[in-house]
Amino acid sequence: MFEYQGLQDMIFVALYCVAAFFALLASVYLLWRRGNAFMQEDAPEGHEPMRLGLRIRSSHVLRRWTAAFMIAIVGSHVWWYVIGVYWLADDWLVRTITVILLDYVTLVPLVTAVLLAMLQDRRRPLWPWLVAEVPVVAAGVVGIVRRDWFWGDVVSHYCQLAVVTVFVVYYIRALRQYGRWLLDNYADLDRKEVWQSLLFALALFLVYGLYTSNMGEMAREYLSQVLTLFIVAFLLWRVETLQELEESE
């Protein structure tokens, strides 16, 4: 964000602040409201609300992970600005590696947590994806200590890319299992949540590609903020309209 014309473009700075503020509002809403703001109709007498898609009660776990992810989005906006302008302003290599590492170890694990929380057939562990961040951090630290851009950016980037790629493959398999579980237990429910979850995972993979290939071009800087707004809005809608189901034994 602090490269090239970004800080001199007041429209971009405004959009940057709006994206962060929107994510902050969404996180506060998800943490403080347990109910649903989109579907509040009462079910007709003799009908079950869940089967009609009325009075949606979303997963408390999913709400918390999504709120944490949105707080991380806010944090990312803050540390890119603060570190770039007020701290390490004259040390391009260290500041760039530092903010990228902060994004890697917060946004990526929280994205995996949100996506896994959307699948309600079983609780899938998050710790393997946290452990997978260790080589990423190690490469970044080596790059900072040795002041070596190759280790700090290139090696850590490809380590993170490997983690993201493996997770997407794993998630596609998990979605197939979830789809079969829904078919066996909730055959009357609309299973659009399966392809929506897959679409969101693939979209985040594309956003990751945009993020890691962005070297400060203003067109991509603008696009990244627009995509942030879209992701926050989509996740808020997704959490609010995803009915909490019982876990299988």
Side-chain angles (χ1 to χ4, degrees), residues 71-125:
I71 291 173
I73 290 176
V74 177
S76 177
H77 280 71
V78 171
W79 59 63
W80 272 87
Y81 184 82
V82 172
I83 292 177
V85 176
Y86 298 106
W87 186 51
L88 299 175
D90 298 323
D91 195 335
W92 181 89
L93 186 146
V94 173
R95 77 184 184 191
T96 304
I97 294 175
T98 300
V99 292
I100 289 175
L101 276 183
L102 286 171
D103 282 353
Y104 280 168
V105 300
T106 55
L107 294 173
V108 174
L110 286 171
V111 164
T112 63
V114 170
L115 288 169
L116 292 175
M118 289 181 182
L119 309 183
Q120 303 182 65
D121 56 328
R122 68 189 71 171
R123 289 190 180 275
R124 293 175 170 83

Side-chain angles (χ1 to χ4, degrees), residues 37 49 89 95 140 143 189 224:
R95 77 184 184 191
L189 290 182
S224 66

Side-chain angles (χ1 to χ4, degrees), residues 22 26 29-30 36-39 56 58 62-63 66 70 118 192-193 195-197 199-200 229-243:
F22 184 36
Y29 169 81
L30 289 172
N36 175 274
F38 290 92
M39 297 181 181
I56 298 296
S58 56
L62 177 58
R63 295 180 80 89
T66 306
M70 292 181 181
M118 289 181 182
K192 61 179 181 298
E193 60 189 70
W195 68 261
Q196 286 174 352
S197 296
L199 180 63
F200 183 58
L229 290 169
F230 171 78
I231 288 172
V232 172
F234 175 83
L235 270 180
L236 185 61
W237 171 83
R238 186 85 176 100
V239 172
E240 287 285 89
T241 57
L242 184 60
Q243 170 67 48

Side-chain angles (χ1 to χ4, degrees), residues 216-230:
E217 299 92 336
M218 284 310 300
R220 293 196 179 194
E221 294 279 15
Y222 270 99
L223 181 58
S224 66
Q225 300 310 309
V226 172
L227 287 174
T228 297
L229 290 169
F230 171 78

Side-chain angles (χ1 to χ4, degrees), residues 42-172:
D42 291 322
E45 185 177 353
H47 292 276
E48 297 181 29
M50 187 186 70
R51 296 183 183 278
L52 290 173
L54 303 176
R55 284 198 178 278
I56 298 296
R57 184 175 179 84
S58 56
S59 165
H60 187 51
V61 173
L62 177 58
R63 295 180 80 89
R64 285 184 296 177
W65 279 122
T66 306
F69 172 60
M70 292 181 181
I71 291 173
I73 290 176
V74 177
S76 177
H77 280 71
V78 171
W79 59 63
W80 272 87
Y81 184 82
V82 172
I83 292 177
V85 176
Y86 298 106
W87 186 51
L88 299 175
D90 298 323
D91 195 335
W92 181 89
L93 186 146
V94 173
R95 77 184 184 191
T96 304
I97 294 175
T98 300
V99 292
I100 289 175
L101 276 183
L102 286 171
D103 282 353
Y104 280 168
V105 300
T106 55
L107 294 173
V108 174
L110 286 171
V111 164
T112 63
V114 170
L115 288 169
L116 292 175
M118 289 181 182
L119 309 183
Q120 303 182 65
D121 56 328
R122 68 189 71 171
R123 289 190 180 275
R124 293 175 170 83
L126 181 61
W127 67 263
W129 310 107
L130 296 175
V131 173
E133 295 296 321
V134 174
V136 180
V137 175
V141 171
V142 170
I144 291 174
V145 172
R146 297 178 56 181
R147 301 190 64 81
D148 186 337
W149 180 250
F150 177 77
W151 277 92
D153 181 72
V154 178
V155 175
S156 64
H157 163 64
Y158 280 105
C159 287
Q160 188 68 80
L161 180 61
V163 173
V164 172
T165 303
V166 171
F167 177 78
V168 169
V169 174
Y170 168 83
Y171 195 67
I172 291 173

